[in-house]
Amino acid sequence: MKRTDMEKLSAVKLLSNVKKAGTPQRFAGDSAAADRREQRRLDQAAGLVSFPVKLTQPVIDAVRVRAAEQGVSTHEVIDRLLAQALDL
């Protein structure tokens, strides 16, 4: 065999070993997907609906400061502020 053929063969062996090894646990996406599904199920049970909004940075900073002061999540602060603004 030529040297280049031997190198190609060793590369093929290496790639087949990598494919057989599988995905390392730290890169496995199953755990994150399961957590998201569980969180989505809990949110639906609580009557929460996802509603993405784009806000300016000063507004976001103010919401984060208020959330830290009150010891609640930013979601709760935004929910309270919107409900208050809409008189709900």
Side-chain angles (χ1 to χ4, degrees), residues 32-73:
D35 291 340
R36 284 189 199 151
R37 282 190 210 118
E38 181 65 21
Q39 185 61 47
R40 196 175 305 130
R41 188 184 66 73
L42 293 172
D43 288 347
Q44 286 176 348
L48 301 175
V49 178
S50 178
F51 187 74
V53 187
K54 292 190 179 196
L55 303 171
T56 61
Q57 191 63 45
V59 172
I60 292 174
D61 293 338
V63 167
R64 286 182 179 154
V65 167
R66 187 175 288 194
E69 288 172 354
Q70 296 177 1
V72 295
S73 70

Side-chain angles (χ1 to χ4, degrees), residues 66 70 76-88:
R66 187 175 288 194
Q70 296 177 1
E76 292 178 42
V77 171
I78 292 172
D79 183 51
R80 290 178 191 164
L81 292 172
L82 283 173
Q84 195 176 39
L86 296 172
D87 295 327
L88 295 178

